[in-house]
Amino acid sequence: MPVRFTAYGGAGEIGGNKLLLEDGDWQVLFDFGMSFSALGTYFEEFLKPRTVRGLSDYLLTGLLPPLEGLYRDDLNALPEHGAIWDRLRDSPPNRNDVNPRAVLLSHAHADHVGYISLLRPHIPIVSGGLTAVIAKAMQDGGQSTDDSQTVFLRLRTPRDGLLVTEPKTPYQQRPWSTLTNDLWTPAAAAYWARRFAKSGPDPVTTPMATGVAEIDGHQVRAFPVDHSIPGALGFAVETSAGWVGYTGDIRMHGRHADQTWAFAHALAELNLAALICEGTQAARPRGASEADVRARAVDRVCRTDGLVVADFGPRNIERLQTFLEAARLASRQLVVLMKDALLLKAMHTVDPATPLPSATDGLLIFDDRRATTTAWQDEVTDEFGSALVDPSDIATDPGGYALCMSFFDVTRLLDLGEMSSGAWIYSSSEPYDEESHLDMQRLRNWTNLLRLDFVGGASESEAEAAGFHASGHASGPDLQRFVEIVNPRSLIPVHLQTDGLDFYRQTFEKSSIQLREPRCGKPVTID
């Protein structure tokens, strides 16, 4: 039987990767992420899919492909679900034979991991150790809704036409495995087994399986790559047609650029039948590197009077380390939020080089004022209590601190009182939709109110904008060089829009590499 590749998300769009590789009746998924573009078509911050309706809203709005049998039975248990599947059965890309042996998870960004929580609980997740603990920290520090139960989940029960979680229902843990190149420490194992809760039944835990090198006789290899989140991996999978590579998300301008180039050379040695390659920034020239961001951040932090706020993407630990260096050089202390401290604690169990909150080392935790606390917040307080800093201390000496916060944390700055100077350094990605542009305008309103200079941003025309952000994705020239090194027989571009696809068409039009353009739900034969 032929080897086939089918994109059920990530074809013609940035993110939402749901990529199925089949070799006869053997199947694996590369990622199973949330599509921001599809989500934004119908939903926004205060309008979300209804958890009490299970899969209904996801299927009817196209957030999930209609792959019958792939999803959790408990989220598919209302009478209406039968009618929904009847409607979808004759609508491509409906299938009822998708039963992957595993999900190969490249990294823990939501557009790659976001909808794993909706898959059947028995499907193993295979990733790097860092990705596993980051995914768990994201769940521990967030809201436990249907689409955030990535590691632990609670089955729901039909009651009065709704799906509810009975109080005595325990959490159960998904089967998860790390690959051969990971260090899984006793501390990581202890964190993995911990379900933070002040009450309720103990969870049913599944120990991490380590040292995965094959899945049902098919060799699987993993390679660390440079991306804007730690622990990102690319993969190579052995099939009857030859090796198939998957880049996940890659770049060549961070601190670990050498890993991505090493990945390219390793794939070249495998003589790939096909390379599934991302192209988020394929249509763009090389931009700022993380070294550029570091130099500009150090310069700006050192010459700013008053408070500094560093605004960058969650889980971008490389950017956090950049601002930690900048703060130390400016004789400031860097302050992170409680959820950031939880993430650092989780990552440290796998990678001891990850910095931990410490008053001695100048990495502090913002002491939020709150009426109640969760179990994970209590544990962070108990473990890192000496690193907590009260807002009143920051208000007394704003020039002694740099705060890691985003637009959604800005109300915390009202607790600091009136400020006379300072800077909000926007070091995140550019706005990608109308709502994001509105958030940017609101952020500028806030910085004006707080008397903070707005530094950086999306516009290259602004004097200080260029260079405070480096993309998490490879530029067109770097992607071209990567593909040329790998030299696969076929190239399948994903995670890109029309301009990125045009780049691949023009670049490899006269190449011996065959360009295979995926369409959502349409199989591509690999030979």
Side-chain angles (χ1 to χ4, degrees), residues 204-236:
V204 179
T205 59
T206 302
M208 178 69 73
T210 58
V212 172
E214 65 173 42
I215 299 173
D216 292 344
H218 291 255
Q219 290 187 67
V220 177
R221 299 185 187 177
F223 306 86
V225 297
D226 185 33
H227 188 38
S228 55
I229 188 172
L233 297 177
F235 296 104

mmCIF file of all heavy atoms in Angstrom, residues 204-236:
data_model
loop_
_atom_site.group_PDB
_atom_site.id
_atom_site.type_symbol
_atom_site.label_atom_id
_atom_site.label_comp_id
_atom_site.label_asym_id
_atom_site.label_seq_id
_atom_site.Cartn_x
_atom_site.Cartn_y
_atom_site.Cartn_z
ATOM 1 N N VAL A 204 -5.132 9.443 38.277
ATOM 2 C CA VAL A 204 -4.609 8.180 37.787
ATOM 3 C C VAL A 204 -3.432 8.529 36.888
ATOM 4 O O VAL A 204 -3.606 9.073 35.802
ATOM 5 C CB VAL A 204 -5.687 7.409 36.996
ATOM 6 C CG1 VAL A 204 -5.115 6.101 36.457
ATOM 7 C CG2 VAL A 204 -6.901 7.143 37.879
ATOM 8 N N THR A 205 -2.217 8.268 37.350
ATOM 9 C CA THR A 205 -1.036 8.734 36.628
ATOM 10 C C THR A 205 -0.437 7.630 35.755
ATOM 11 O O THR A 205 -0.576 6.443 36.038
ATOM 12 C CB THR A 205 0.047 9.245 37.590
ATOM 13 O OG1 THR A 205 0.410 8.194 38.485
ATOM 14 C CG2 THR A 205 -0.470 10.428 38.392
ATOM 15 N N THR A 206 0.217 8.061 34.699
ATOM 16 C CA THR A 206 0.916 7.170 33.781
ATOM 17 C C THR A 206 2.367 7.602 33.718
ATOM 18 O O THR A 206 2.664 8.700 33.233
ATOM 19 C CB THR A 206 0.303 7.241 32.368
ATOM 20 O OG1 THR A 206 -1.079 6.908 32.440
ATOM 21 C CG2 THR A 206 1.003 6.281 31.421
ATOM 22 N N PRO A 207 3.299 6.790 34.216
ATOM 23 C CA PRO A 207 4.707 7.202 34.185
ATOM 24 C C PRO A 207 5.193 7.478 32.766
ATOM 25 O O PRO A 207 4.726 6.859 31.800
ATOM 26 C CB PRO A 207 5.442 6.002 34.796
ATOM 27 C CG PRO A 207 4.391 5.272 35.579
ATOM 28 C CD PRO A 207 3.108 5.477 34.837
ATOM 29 N N MET A 208 6.107 8.419 32.657
ATOM 30 C CA MET A 208 6.704 8.729 31.363
ATOM 31 C C MET A 208 7.527 7.551 30.862
ATOM 32 O O MET A 208 8.365 7.015 31.580
ATOM 33 C CB MET A 208 7.594 9.964 31.503
ATOM 34 C CG MET A 208 8.308 10.358 30.231
ATOM 35 S SD MET A 208 7.209 11.004 28.957
ATOM 36 C CE MET A 208 6.817 12.611 29.662
ATOM 37 N N ALA A 209 7.283 7.140 29.620
ATOM 38 C CA ALA A 209 8.113 6.128 28.981
ATOM 39 C C ALA A 209 9.265 6.843 28.274
ATOM 40 O O ALA A 209 9.044 7.822 27.562
ATOM 41 C CB ALA A 209 7.294 5.321 27.979
ATOM 42 N N THR A 210 10.468 6.398 28.470
ATOM 43 C CA THR A 210 11.628 7.071 27.891
ATOM 44 C C THR A 210 12.347 6.155 26.908
ATOM 45 O O THR A 210 12.181 4.935 26.929
ATOM 46 C CB THR A 210 12.610 7.506 28.989
ATOM 47 O OG1 THR A 210 13.027 6.352 29.736
ATOM 48 C CG2 THR A 210 11.965 8.491 29.945
ATOM 49 N N GLY A 211 13.155 6.763 26.060
ATOM 50 C CA GLY A 211 13.979 5.998 25.141
ATOM 51 C C GLY A 211 13.249 5.448 23.940
ATOM 52 O O GLY A 211 13.619 4.396 23.405
ATOM 53 N N VAL A 212 12.207 6.149 23.464
ATOM 54 C CA VAL A 212 11.494 5.687 22.279
ATOM 55 C C VAL A 212 12.386 5.846 21.045
ATOM 56 O O VAL A 212 12.941 6.913 20.801
ATOM 57 C CB VAL A 212 10.189 6.480 22.083
ATOM 58 C CG1 VAL A 212 9.540 6.151 20.747
ATOM 59 C CG2 VAL A 212 9.228 6.174 23.219
ATOM 60 N N ALA A 213 12.534 4.798 20.277
ATOM 61 C CA ALA A 213 13.326 4.853 19.051
ATOM 62 C C ALA A 213 12.563 4.296 17.855
ATOM 63 O O ALA A 213 12.981 4.468 16.719
ATOM 64 C CB ALA A 213 14.628 4.073 19.216
ATOM 65 N N GLU A 214 11.434 3.634 18.125
ATOM 66 C CA GLU A 214 10.616 3.117 17.034
ATOM 67 C C GLU A 214 9.174 3.021 17.493
ATOM 68 O O GLU A 214 8.875 2.969 18.695
ATOM 69 C CB GLU A 214 11.108 1.749 16.562
ATOM 70 C CG GLU A 214 10.990 0.640 17.599
ATOM 71 C CD GLU A 214 11.339 -0.723 17.019
ATOM 72 O OE1 GLU A 214 12.314 -0.813 16.257
ATOM 73 O OE2 GLU A 214 10.620 -1.689 17.347
ATOM 74 N N ILE A 215 8.276 3.021 16.521
ATOM 75 C CA ILE A 215 6.846 2.876 16.791
ATOM 76 C C ILE A 215 6.334 1.768 15.887
ATOM 77 O O ILE A 215 6.295 1.919 14.659
ATOM 78 C CB ILE A 215 6.083 4.192 16.515
ATOM 79 C CG1 ILE A 215 6.600 5.308 17.421
ATOM 80 C CG2 ILE A 215 4.588 3.995 16.720
ATOM 81 C CD1 ILE A 215 6.021 6.669 17.098
ATOM 82 N N ASP A 216 6.001 0.640 16.487
ATOM 83 C CA ASP A 216 5.514 -0.526 15.741
ATOM 84 C C ASP A 216 6.438 -0.885 14.579
ATOM 85 O O ASP A 216 6.003 -1.115 13.449
ATOM 86 C CB ASP A 216 4.103 -0.265 15.214
ATOM 87 C CG ASP A 216 3.079 -0.187 16.329
ATOM 88 O OD1 ASP A 216 3.395 -0.616 17.450
ATOM 89 O OD2 ASP A 216 1.974 0.328 16.083
ATOM 90 N N GLY A 217 7.743 -0.920 14.857
ATOM 91 C CA GLY A 217 8.706 -1.336 13.857
ATOM 92 C C GLY A 217 9.195 -0.246 12.928
ATOM 93 O O GLY A 217 10.124 -0.466 12.147
ATOM 94 N N HIS A 218 8.612 0.934 12.981
ATOM 95 C CA HIS A 218 9.068 2.063 12.171
ATOM 96 C C HIS A 218 10.021 2.919 12.995
ATOM 97 O O HIS A 218 9.641 3.432 14.064
ATOM 98 C CB HIS A 218 7.879 2.917 11.715
ATOM 99 C CG HIS A 218 6.989 2.243 10.730
ATOM 100 N ND1 HIS A 218 6.985 2.562 9.397
ATOM 101 C CD2 HIS A 218 6.064 1.258 10.891
ATOM 102 C CE1 HIS A 218 6.103 1.816 8.766
ATOM 103 N NE2 HIS A 218 5.518 1.011 9.654
ATOM 104 N N GLN A 219 11.245 3.077 12.523
ATOM 105 C CA GLN A 219 12.202 3.902 13.249
ATOM 106 C C GLN A 219 11.740 5.368 13.274
ATOM 107 O O GLN A 219 11.220 5.879 12.285
ATOM 108 C CB GLN A 219 13.580 3.828 12.601
ATOM 109 C CG GLN A 219 14.276 2.490 12.749
ATOM 110 C CD GLN A 219 15.701 2.578 12.228
ATOM 111 O OE1 GLN A 219 16.552 3.265 12.794
ATOM 112 N NE2 GLN A 219 15.954 1.883 11.132
ATOM 113 N N VAL A 220 11.961 6.007 14.401
ATOM 114 C CA VAL A 220 11.662 7.426 14.558
ATOM 115 C C VAL A 220 12.900 8.103 15.134
ATOM 116 O O VAL A 220 13.451 7.644 16.143
ATOM 117 C CB VAL A 220 10.462 7.654 15.504
ATOM 118 C CG1 VAL A 220 10.219 9.147 15.710
ATOM 119 C CG2 VAL A 220 9.210 6.988 14.951
ATOM 120 N N ARG A 221 13.346 9.149 14.493
ATOM 121 C CA ARG A 221 14.492 9.911 14.987
ATOM 122 C C ARG A 221 14.064 11.349 15.249
ATOM 123 O O ARG A 221 13.244 11.902 14.514
ATOM 124 C CB ARG A 221 15.645 9.868 13.986
ATOM 125 C CG ARG A 221 16.157 8.459 13.729
ATOM 126 C CD ARG A 221 17.380 8.455 12.828
ATOM 127 N NE ARG A 221 17.771 7.097 12.463
ATOM 128 C CZ ARG A 221 18.768 6.797 11.651
ATOM 129 N NH1 ARG A 221 19.489 7.779 11.097
ATOM 130 N NH2 ARG A 221 19.054 5.545 11.378
ATOM 131 N N ALA A 222 14.624 11.908 16.286
ATOM 132 C CA ALA A 222 14.304 13.289 16.659
ATOM 133 C C ALA A 222 15.577 14.110 16.706
ATOM 134 O O ALA A 222 16.644 13.594 17.075
ATOM 135 C CB ALA A 222 13.609 13.316 18.017
ATOM 136 N N PHE A 223 15.454 15.387 16.349
ATOM 137 C CA PHE A 223 16.605 16.264 16.267
ATOM 138 C C PHE A 223 16.260 17.618 16.888
ATOM 139 O O PHE A 223 15.239 18.222 16.516
ATOM 140 C CB PHE A 223 17.015 16.480 14.809
ATOM 141 C CG PHE A 223 17.250 15.206 14.047
ATOM 142 C CD1 PHE A 223 16.196 14.542 13.428
ATOM 143 C CD2 PHE A 223 18.521 14.662 13.950
ATOM 144 C CE1 PHE A 223 16.401 13.367 12.724
ATOM 145 C CE2 PHE A 223 18.741 13.481 13.249
ATOM 146 C CZ PHE A 223 17.684 12.836 12.634
ATOM 147 N N PRO A 224 17.054 18.105 17.838
ATOM 148 C CA PRO A 224 16.785 19.439 18.398
ATOM 149 C C PRO A 224 16.963 20.509 17.332
ATOM 150 O O PRO A 224 17.852 20.413 16.473
ATOM 151 C CB PRO A 224 17.832 19.575 19.511
ATOM 152 C CG PRO A 224 18.930 18.630 19.129
ATOM 153 C CD PRO A 224 18.264 17.492 18.409
ATOM 154 N N VAL A 225 16.106 21.516 17.349
ATOM 155 C CA VAL A 225 16.175 22.615 16.389
ATOM 156 C C VAL A 225 16.037 23.942 17.124
ATOM 157 O O VAL A 225 15.552 24.009 18.260
ATOM 158 C CB VAL A 225 15.076 22.503 15.304
ATOM 159 C CG1 VAL A 225 15.263 21.248 14.476
ATOM 160 C CG2 VAL A 225 13.678 22.545 15.916
ATOM 161 N N ASP A 226 16.460 25.003 16.451
ATOM 162 C CA ASP A 226 16.352 26.355 16.987
ATOM 163 C C ASP A 226 14.958 26.899 16.705
ATOM 164 O O ASP A 226 14.504 26.920 15.562
ATOM 165 C CB ASP A 226 17.416 27.241 16.321
ATOM 166 C CG ASP A 226 17.459 28.641 16.908
ATOM 167 O OD1 ASP A 226 17.197 28.780 18.112
ATOM 168 O OD2 ASP A 226 17.772 29.588 16.160
ATOM 169 N N HIS A 227 14.267 27.319 17.764
ATOM 170 C CA HIS A 227 12.941 27.936 17.640
ATOM 171 C C HIS A 227 12.770 28.861 18.835
ATOM 172 O O HIS A 227 13.652 28.966 19.694
ATOM 173 C CB HIS A 227 11.857 26.857 17.569
ATOM 174 C CG HIS A 227 10.483 27.367 17.260
ATOM 175 N ND1 HIS A 227 10.247 28.393 16.362
ATOM 176 C CD2 HIS A 227 9.257 27.014 17.744
ATOM 177 C CE1 HIS A 227 8.943 28.625 16.301
ATOM 178 N NE2 HIS A 227 8.324 27.807 17.137
ATOM 179 N N SER A 228 11.638 29.546 18.890
ATOM 180 C CA SER A 228 11.420 30.531 19.947
ATOM 181 C C SER A 228 10.847 29.933 21.217
ATOM 182 O O SER A 228 10.387 30.668 22.100
ATOM 183 C CB SER A 228 10.501 31.644 19.441
ATOM 184 O OG SER A 228 9.289 31.101 18.941
ATOM 185 N N ILE A 229 10.857 28.621 21.332
ATOM 186 C CA ILE A 229 10.455 27.936 22.552
ATOM 187 C C ILE A 229 11.472 26.820 22.791
ATOM 188 O O ILE A 229 11.931 26.193 21.836
ATOM 189 C CB ILE A 229 9.015 27.365 22.442
ATOM 190 C CG1 ILE A 229 8.521 26.809 23.783
ATOM 191 C CG2 ILE A 229 8.923 26.313 21.364
ATOM 192 C CD1 ILE A 229 7.053 26.411 23.766
ATOM 193 N N PRO A 230 11.871 26.578 24.025
ATOM 194 C CA PRO A 230 12.862 25.522 24.276
ATOM 195 C C PRO A 230 12.301 24.138 23.941
ATOM 196 O O PRO A 230 11.103 23.896 24.002
ATOM 197 C CB PRO A 230 13.133 25.650 25.782
ATOM 198 C CG PRO A 230 12.670 27.008 26.153
ATOM 199 C CD PRO A 230 11.529 27.318 25.237
ATOM 200 N N GLY A 231 13.213 23.249 23.606
ATOM 201 C CA GLY A 231 12.844 21.851 23.430
ATOM 202 C C GLY A 231 12.236 21.490 22.098
ATOM 203 O O GLY A 231 11.766 20.357 21.920
ATOM 204 N N ALA A 232 12.218 22.412 21.123
ATOM 205 C CA ALA A 232 11.615 22.111 19.828
ATOM 206 C C ALA A 232 12.416 21.031 19.104
ATOM 207 O O ALA A 232 13.643 20.986 19.174
ATOM 208 C CB ALA A 232 11.540 23.369 18.973
ATOM 209 N N LEU A 233 11.692 20.166 18.400
ATOM 210 C CA LEU A 233 12.302 19.049 17.677
ATOM 211 C C LEU A 233 11.817 19.000 16.240
ATOM 212 O O LEU A 233 10.693 19.418 15.928
ATOM 213 C CB LEU A 233 11.942 17.715 18.344
ATOM 214 C CG LEU A 233 12.412 17.444 19.766
ATOM 215 C CD1 LEU A 233 11.868 16.097 20.245
ATOM 216 C CD2 LEU A 233 13.926 17.478 19.868
ATOM 217 N N GLY A 234 12.671 18.478 15.366
ATOM 218 C CA GLY A 234 12.254 18.002 14.060
ATOM 219 C C GLY A 234 12.325 16.490 14.082
ATOM 220 O O GLY A 234 12.973 15.883 14.945
ATOM 221 N N PHE A 235 11.661 15.845 13.115
ATOM 222 C CA PHE A 235 11.574 14.389 13.120
ATOM 223 C C PHE A 235 11.956 13.800 11.775
ATOM 224 O O PHE A 235 11.865 14.455 10.733
ATOM 225 C CB PHE A 235 10.145 13.932 13.440
ATOM 226 C CG PHE A 235 9.660 14.298 14.810
ATOM 227 C CD1 PHE A 235 8.771 15.353 14.982
ATOM 228 C CD2 PHE A 235 10.079 13.602 15.931
ATOM 229 C CE1 PHE A 235 8.313 15.699 16.239
ATOM 230 C CE2 PHE A 235 9.628 13.938 17.195
ATOM 231 C CZ PHE A 235 8.736 14.991 17.346
ATOM 232 N N ALA A 236 12.349 12.540 11.821
ATOM 233 C CA ALA A 236 12.455 11.711 10.624
ATOM 234 C C ALA A 236 11.820 10.369 10.946
ATOM 235 O O ALA A 236 12.071 9.786 12.012
ATOM 236 C CB ALA A 236 13.908 11.525 10.202
#
